[in-house]
């Protein structure tokens, strides 16, 4: 008999995981940062167009030390949280009303779908006329953006609950409230978490829009003032802060998902 | 026996006491004008194990759903015990609840975890009480579903092809488990199945549903555990297969020759 060529089946654990996952994920961004610094240092990227990472880091530490950045962040985060809570309550309440009952759906859904087609940024002029130029229109804008995302996803989540499980709940003697609490709401949770992530992204977007229009504090205010003085370093610091806050929010939701959705038998990637 | 209260599945809410676990009188259930159950009569005495056979689409699952109270668009009189439980073909465990919470779901009051553990112990699943349903094997999930039904201490246990999705080996174990549990509990059981051998191994009485009614009935007078090779059982098997429109091997052979 002629010999057969054999090759070992390498276990996944031996081949992978030599570098920790978090470290692997940071290499891409670090490389881009390095490229940027090199371009600035060699003059390929002039500083009046975009400041170098080193300059930006210096500016950032200065802004942190004199307290302007922490104060602006606090103001902006507060606006987002307020808008998120208000929009969240309205969106989830509407979704529950139309998701749980046929009557609620008939009354609520058509109106929400109608308002949803209006680009919410277009509401800014009306909000200024109605609420002046204080905190109210900024928070309202954020709440508006958040409301629709949560509404759509929570509603879809509720309507996506497996009818077989509802029937099982019925046969086990659950009443209407018991069904909602033990079957419908937990089943709608994955949808709700998706909605939360979308609404957080929208909330930061709405914050940028809201703050670039007649704000006298917050990150958007710093951003606008920097534009008047051509301070590209300050502008980039503000953008990084926006991004970092968005990333932090996403991290919080991811953690929530990991804790609340650990029962989910879904594909998690290889 | 414990079957003291009966609840009607039709709009009238008259309750009576009875010595039967199920009483169905002139039951009709139509889908778009087509009567799937047509003037059906059925009585199941307390503690009897009844298997319901029938071709696919003959209405046997519909009958079970009517008895479970899940389908109420019916005409006729249906009396079932207040305490009844269903185990479906798919285990239908809530994926977001740990196994023991699934078992307790819907029980009145707030029974402690030990109640669930006891029921899980009974189906040999005590060690998985704290697991998520997604980590259970098919057989384990089905046993958890059975524990969830039994913890309600039903007077009537409705089984809708509960072994249909299990592999052959797991199925045999599950069938034995159901048989043992029935003998220790003494509740009436209605097992909907398409497996003639399963029906003959488990049931006191085997019904064949056809044309919307119980078209045929066989009493199985044999002690348990039964053997499928027993000539008496084999004879009943041929008879039932014939009723179900499946020709016995010899007959098929003859036809092929002709």
């Amino acid at each position: 008999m002629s010999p057969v060529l054999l090759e070992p089946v390498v276990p996944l654990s031996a081949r992978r995981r030599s570098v920790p996952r978090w470290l692997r994920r940071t290499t891409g961004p670090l490389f881009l940062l390095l490229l940027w610094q090199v371009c600035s240092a060699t003059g390929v990227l002039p500083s009046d167009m975009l400041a170098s990472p080193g300059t930006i880091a210096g500016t950032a530490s200065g802004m942190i030390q004199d307290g302007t950045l922490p104060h602006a962040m606090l103001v902006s985060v507060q606006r987002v949280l307020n808008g998120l809570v208000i929009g969240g309550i309205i969106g989830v309440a509407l979704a529950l009303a139309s998701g749980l009952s046929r009557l609620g759906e008939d009354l609520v859904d058509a109106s929400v779908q109608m308002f949803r087609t209006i680009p919410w940024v277009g509401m800014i002029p009306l909000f200024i006329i109605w609420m002046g130029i204080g905190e109210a229109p900024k928070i309202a804008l954020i709440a508006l953006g958040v409301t629709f995302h949560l509404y759509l996803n929570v509603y879809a989540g509720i309507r996506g609950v497996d009818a077989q499980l509802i029937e099982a709940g019925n046969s086990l003697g659950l009443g209407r409230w018991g069904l909602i609490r033990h079957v419908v709401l937990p089943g709608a949770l994955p949808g709700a978490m998706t909605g939360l992530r979308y609404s957080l992204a929208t909330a930061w977007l709405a914050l940028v829009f809201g703050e670039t229009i007649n704000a006298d504090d917050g990150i958007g205010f710093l951003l606008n003032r920097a534009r008047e003085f051509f301070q590209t370093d300050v502008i980039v610091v503000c953008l990084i802060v926006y991004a970092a806050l968005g990333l932090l929010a996403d991290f919080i939701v991811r953690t929530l998902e990991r804790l609340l959705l650990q029962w989910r038998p879904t594909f998690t990637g290889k | 026996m414990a079957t003291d209260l009966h609840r009607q599945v039709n709009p009238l809410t008259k309750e009576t006491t009875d010595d039967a676990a199920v009483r169905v009188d002139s039951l009709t259930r139509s889908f778009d004008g087509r009567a799937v159950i047509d003037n059906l009569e059925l009585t199941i005495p307390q503690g009897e194990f009844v298997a319901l056979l029938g071709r696919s689409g003959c209405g046997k699952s519909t009958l079970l759903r009517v008895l479970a109270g899940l389908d109420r668009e019916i005409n006729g009189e249906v009396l079932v015990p207040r305490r009844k439980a269903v185990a479906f073909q798919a285990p239908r465990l809530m994926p977001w609840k740990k196994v023991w919470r699934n078992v307790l779901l819907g029980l009145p009051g707030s029974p402690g975890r030990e109640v669930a553990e006891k029921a899980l112990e009974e189906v040999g699943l005590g060690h998985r009480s704290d697991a998520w349903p997604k980590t259970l094997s098919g057989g384990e999930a089905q046993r958890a579903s059975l524990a969830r039904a039994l913890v309600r201490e039903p007077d009537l246990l409705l089984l809708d092809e509960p072994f249909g999705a299990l592999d052959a080996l797991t199925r045999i174990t599950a069938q034995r488990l159901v048989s043992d549990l029935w003998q220790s509990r003494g509740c009436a059981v209605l097992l909907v199945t398409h497996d003639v051998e399963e029906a003959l191994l488990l049931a006191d009485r085997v019904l064949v549903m056809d044309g919307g009614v119980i078209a045929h009935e066989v009493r199985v007078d044999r002690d348990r555990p039964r053997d499928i090779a027993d000539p008496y059982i084999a004879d009943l098997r041929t008879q039932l297969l014939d009723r179900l429109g499946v020709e016995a091997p010899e007959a098929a052979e003859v036809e092929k020759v002709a």
Side-chain angles (χ1 to χ4, degrees), chain A residues 185-228:
Chain A
L185 292 187
L189 204 57
M193 296 312 278
T194 310
L196 187 58
R197 274 170 96 163
Y198 274 123
S199 19
L200 275 169
T202 311
W204 293 116
L205 202 62
L207 181 74
V208 177
F209 277 112
E211 287 190 337
T212 41
I213 300 157
N214 51 55
D216 48 16
D217 53 6
I219 303 169
F221 165 69
L222 292 182
L223 202 64
N224 266 343
R225 202 180 51 179
R227 188 200 61 204
E228 283 165 26

Side-chain angles (χ1 to χ4, degrees), chain B residues 120-121 163 169 226 256:
Chain B
L120 285 166
E121 212 64 70
F163 318 121
L169 290 176
R226 295 169 181 159
K256 222 179 267 174

Side-chain angles (χ1 to χ4, degrees), chain A residues 167 172 182-183 262-263, chain B residues 65 92 95-97 134 152:
Chain A
E167 206 177 74
L172 294 172
H182 294 293
V183 185
Q262 50 178 314
W263 50 267
Chain B
R65 290 170 52 80
R92 300 199 190 179
W96 43 82
K97 287 183 184 290
K134 69 171 174 181
R152 272 139 248 275

Side-chain angles (χ1 to χ4, degrees), chain B residues 162-176:
Chain B
F163 318 121
L166 301 180
D167 66 89
L169 290 176
T170 315
R171 188 182 308 151
I172 293 169
T173 329
Q175 286 169 349
R176 283 208 191 120

Side-chain angles (χ1 to χ4, degrees), chain B residues 34-54:
Chain B
R34 194 175 65 89
V36 168
I37 298 175
D38 193 2
N39 219 5
L40 181 138
E41 315 279 332
L42 173 67
T43 306
I44 301 177
Q46 286 179 32
E48 192 185 37
F49 197 129
V50 174
L52 183 60
L53 290 169

